[in-house]
């Protein structure tokens, strides 16, 4: 049985060919379209969203020039993530509910590092801004 992550289509349009992937904290799923039924506390690790070439250009422009996040338009059904139950089924054991606080802290630290690096690549800056805005929208702030 294969339990690893598979590549996903563009989270905005569903196009199979993608050129960019962003990793987000689990709670960001709640900000996405169709994300309400997903038990974000049961997500193990990060949530990955993918973008096709034309949508990546739009996302880059939205984030860089307009200061807007694309997450509300992203379809959570196209996101890539692992649920705790998948691991429990594989290992035949029940795990405790994950505490996402450490994961969110790690994401915030990474955004700080990227946003203060003058040489950071565009993809990393776009990802850092989206992660920062998502966590701020969810009430998570740096210490």
């Amino acid at each position: 049985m294969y339990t690893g992550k598979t590549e996903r289509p563009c989270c905005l349009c569903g196009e199979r060919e993608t050129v960019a992937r962003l990793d987000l904290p689990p709670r960001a799923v709640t900000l996405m379209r169709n994300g309400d039924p997903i038990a974000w506390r049961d997500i193990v690790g990060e949530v990955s969203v993918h973008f096709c070439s034309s949508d990546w250009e739009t996302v880059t422009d939205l984030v860089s020039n307009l200061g807007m996040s694309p997450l509300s338009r992203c379809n959570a059904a196209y996101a890539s993530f692992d649920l705790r139950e998948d691991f429990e089924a594989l290992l035949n054991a029940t795990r405790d509910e994950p505490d996402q606080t450490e994961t969110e802290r790690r994401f915030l630290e990474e955004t700080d590092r990227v946003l203060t690096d003058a040489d950071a690549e565009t993809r990393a800056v776009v990802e850092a801004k989206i992660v920062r805005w998502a966590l701020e929208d969810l009430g998570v702030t740096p210490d």
Side-chain angles (χ1 to χ4, degrees):
M1 167 175 22
Y2 177 74
T3 62
K5 291 185 177 183
T6 59
E7 289 301 310
R8 296 291 185 157
C10 176
C11 68
L12 292 172
C13 70
E15 170 68 38
R16 292 306 231 180
E17 295 294 321
T18 59
V19 297
R21 176 184 122 191
L22 303 181
D23 293 328
L24 308 167
R27 201 176 350 173
V29 165
T30 62
L31 300 173
M32 294 180 195
R33 195 166 36 109
N34 302 319
D36 292 338
I38 299 172
W40 67 269
R41 292 185 196 279
D42 287 335
I43 295 175
V44 178
E46 73 279 341
V47 173
S48 299
V49 291
H50 306 264
F51 298 95
C52 67
S53 179
S54 64
D55 285 343
W56 178 243
E57 289 177 27
T58 302
V59 166
T60 302
D61 186 49
L62 273 175
V63 171
S64 301
N65 299 327
L66 301 175
M68 296 174 61
S69 174
L71 288 185
S72 65
R73 299 283 187 201
C74 292
N75 189 341
Y78 292 143
S80 177
F81 53 87
D82 295 317
L83 289 174
R84 181 171 58 129
E85 344 179 298
D86 296 340
F87 287 105
E88 290 173 356
L90 176 67
L91 301 174
N92 199 22
T94 303
R95 292 182 172 182
D96 293 333
E97 183 177 282
D99 178 7
Q100 302 292 357
T101 308
E102 178 61 29
T103 302
E104 291 172 350
R105 187 188 61 71
R106 183 175 41 85
F107 270 96
L108 279 174
E109 287 174 358
E110 180 63 16
T111 63
D112 287 341
R113 188 190 65 73
V114 170
L115 293 175
T116 58
D117 181 1
D119 296 328
E121 64 179 52
T122 302
R123 191 211 60 78
V125 172
V126 168
E127 180 178 54
K129 287 181 178 182
I130 291 172
V131 167
R132 175 61 60 127
W133 295 335
L135 290 173
E136 286 174 356
D137 288 348
L138 295 165
V140 178
T141 56
D143 294 332

